[in-house]
Amino acid sequence: DDLLRERAALQKTYAALKQSVAKRPKPAAMLAKLLHEMKVALQEFERAIAQAVRELPQGEPAFSVITSIPGIGLLTGAALLRLFTRAPDASADAIVALPGLDPRPMDSGTRRGVRRLSKRGDAQTRRLLYNAGMAGAKTDTWRPIYERERAKGLSSTAALLVLARRLVRIAFSLFKSGQQFDRTRVMA
């Protein structure tokens, strides 16, 4: 938890600093060493996260199963492993709700309102899952599903969230079964 949180904070600072000096050569030159050191620190965080995953009981095999899914890498895999080990007996719906990816109904009587994300979970995990959805939408495995959701009239953000929820459900199923991802079993 702490490693993921601290890495996210450093990444946010690094990105903001890099963007602020992007078109200003003199400040960019002055901060080049600092930016390089921050980038090295981010890589060290990633190594520490990978080591922490290996030290968990059954962490390496479970992590290997989770990251076998296209679109899920080190950071998202570690966040999902943390999520799944906290609630191993939960339902898939509960796991989707933990990071706040579940749709919140806005209904009253016969009126059906627009559904929005509940956002009642860890924002960092939700961000990582959204990024996994973006990465997944670029793969041959998940692109047809993303495009099908877009064809239904969903915005790109909504379609990516649908894909992120699907990734969580599949990762949780694989975590429980211990099986590697099989692309042929994905139904478009």
Side-chain angles (χ1 to χ4, degrees), residues 85-99:
T85 55
R86 285 187 177 164
D89 298 326
S91 68
D93 288 339
I95 290 295
V96 168
L98 281 174

Side-chain angles (χ1 to χ4, degrees), residues 3-185:
L3 289 171
L4 285 169
R5 194 173 301 112
E6 293 300 322
R7 189 210 174 273
L10 180 60
Q11 175 65 41
K12 187 176 182 180
T13 304
Y14 172 76
L17 190 58
K18 188 174 179 181
Q19 190 174 20
S20 71
V21 298
K23 295 183 180 178
R24 299 179 4 218
K26 189 170 183 170
M30 293 168 56
L31 295 174
K33 185 176 179 183
L34 175 62
L35 288 169
H36 175 73
E37 292 298 321
M38 290 174 87
K39 192 169 187 173
V40 169
L42 286 168
Q43 293 168 347
E44 289 176 18
F45 267 111
E46 290 173 9
R47 282 191 289 275
I49 290 168
Q51 180 62 34
V53 164
R54 284 190 292 274
E55 292 173 358
L56 289 172
Q58 297 196 16
E60 188 67 34
F63 182 74
S64 172
V65 164
I66 292 168
T67 56
S68 69
I69 301 169
I72 297 181
L74 169 69
L75 299 176
T76 307
L80 285 173
L81 184 59
R82 175 190 64 181
L83 195 67
F84 299 160
T85 55
R86 285 187 177 164
D89 298 326
S91 68
D93 288 339
I95 290 295
V96 168
L98 281 174
L101 284 174
D102 55 323
R104 179 183 64 196
M106 299 293 282
D107 302 339
S108 178
T110 58
R111 181 183 150 277
R112 287 194 43 99
V114 177
R115 277 143 170 55
R116 295 187 176 13
L117 287 185
S118 71
K119 295 186 181 180
R120 291 188 177 188
D122 181 35
Q124 172 64 17
T125 304
R126 195 169 46 254
R127 184 185 64 79
L128 287 170
L129 291 168
Y130 180 80
N131 288 342
M134 285 193 332
K138 296 174 185 174
T139 67
D140 292 338
T141 304
W142 303 116
R143 187 178 307 114
I145 295 167
Y146 171 75
E147 289 172 354
R148 183 189 72 207
E149 296 299 326
R150 290 285 289 149
K152 287 181 186 176
L154 291 180
S155 67
S156 60
T157 301
L160 290 172
L161 289 169
V162 167
L163 185 54
R165 280 194 292 274
R166 189 164 189 165
L167 289 172
V168 171
R169 288 176 186 278
I170 290 172
F172 187 57
S173 174
L174 295 177
F175 170 78
K176 289 176 88 169
S177 70
Q179 297 177 356
Q180 293 288 318
F181 179 75
D182 181 9
R183 182 175 185 236
T184 61
R185 295 182 67 190

